[in-house]
Amino acid sequence: AHGIGPEEVKLAETVQKYGVEAVPYLVKLLVDGTTNARQLAGYTLRDIDGLKPEYLPALIRARRRGDGWIPPAIARVGTPEAVEFLISDLRQDPDTNTQVTWSLSSLGSKAAPLLAELFACTGQCDKELLRATVHVLSEMKGDAPLGVVPRLLQIAGDARYDLQARRYAVVAIGGLGERVQAFAPQLNGLKKADAALEDAVDQSLATIGSPDAVPALLRQLPIDPEDALARISRLQKNGMAAGPVVLNYLQDRRWDIR
């Protein structure tokens, strides 16, 4: 039937046990099967290891025909051509939480450098693409995206690039979380060099849990105490310096702030 339900999932899992032996038959179905069979073939291919580069053209054709399940299979091929195709796919439809963004995140260091270059944007930049790229990098596991932090810092500090793109490059660094706390001095350096990056830097410092975020969060407290208090709490021990000021809010007339 149309769509992927429990029966289709069970069938896909059964076929996947055959591994690469099943691939030629599934690839054939991508072309020759009914609409529903093509969809199920794409869904099954997404979780089979060992996909060879020779199958990439067929997988790409299936994606261009609208197969929404096939991007993870393209990622499993893992060649530069596969990565470039998925980056191009993201450009065309820069949405988040899709098979494309999941696939790019799964590629880790194979995709991270190309994704970082999307922030090296001049002229009219696609805000949704920048947001989606931040999301993809933040979803990468382990230390895969850490190697691109120096390039992101370089882009953020280069006035030749669009200011909005530079700000998103800073936000992308913050999106990597505690893993990039060692880069806090460089982030502070960006803020000192260009005041237009101050808000983005302060946001990233708070996101990575750096003690350097405390001054900015204390400035925010009188303006938006609910948000600032939540951000301070997420700093955990690195937010202790805010303690004396935060204590004052236990006397606030607003019960939710107390």
Side-chain angles (χ1 to χ4, degrees), residues 86-106 111-112 114-116 118-119 125-140 152 164-165 168-169 171-172 175-176:
L86 290 171
I87 295 279
S88 174
D89 201 321
L90 183 69
R91 282 181 179 275
Q92 292 176 34
D93 184 16
D95 204 354
T96 55
N97 295 307
T98 66
Q99 294 294 313
V100 174
T101 56
W102 185 88
S103 301
L104 285 167
S105 295
S106 73
L114 287 175
L115 288 165
L118 295 178
F119 297 105
C125 303
D126 187 338
K127 186 176 181 180
E128 295 307 313
L129 176 61
L130 297 173
R131 281 180 177 172
T133 306
V134 170
H135 169 77
V136 173
L137 288 170
S138 70
E139 290 293 305
M140 287 185 179
L152 291 173
Q164 179 176 244
Y168 271 105
V171 173
L176 301 180

Side-chain angles (χ1 to χ4, degrees), residues 6 30 47-48 56 68 83 106 141 143-144 153-154 193 218 238:
L30 290 176
D47 286 321
I48 292 181
L56 182 61
V83 178
S106 73
K141 306 299 183 186
D143 295 337
L153 288 165
Q154 186 181 45
L218 290 180
N238 287 341

Side-chain angles (χ1 to χ4, degrees), residues 20 23 27 45-46 48-53 55 59 72-74 76-78:
V20 293
V23 171
V27 169
L45 282 163
R46 69 193 293 274
I48 292 181
D49 288 322
L51 283 166
K52 297 177 182 177
Y55 296 116
L59 299 178
I74 295 173
R76 285 179 181 274
V77 174

Side-chain angles (χ1 to χ4, degrees), residues 13 27 35 44 57 68 78 97 101-103 111 114 121 125 134 146 160 182 189 199 201 206 217-218 237 246:
E13 290 173 349
V27 169
T35 300
T44 306
N97 295 307
T101 56
W102 185 88
S103 301
L114 287 175
C121 162
C125 303
V134 170
L146 298 190
R160 293 176 300 173
D199 288 346
V201 169
L217 290 172
L218 290 180
K237 65 180 181 180
V246 169

Side-chain angles (χ1 to χ4, degrees), residues 119 134 152-153 155-157 163-176 180 186-188 190-191 196-205 207-208:
F119 297 105
V134 170
L152 291 173
L153 288 165
I155 292 169
L163 178 58
Q164 179 176 244
R166 292 165 59 206
R167 285 173 174 158
Y168 271 105
V170 173
V171 173
I173 295 171
L176 301 180
V180 294
Q186 290 94 319
L187 287 168
N188 279 314
L190 286 174
K191 181 165 62 172
L197 298 175
E198 183 174 358
D199 288 346
V201 169
D202 287 341
Q203 177 184 335
S204 286
L205 289 171
T207 306
I208 68 177

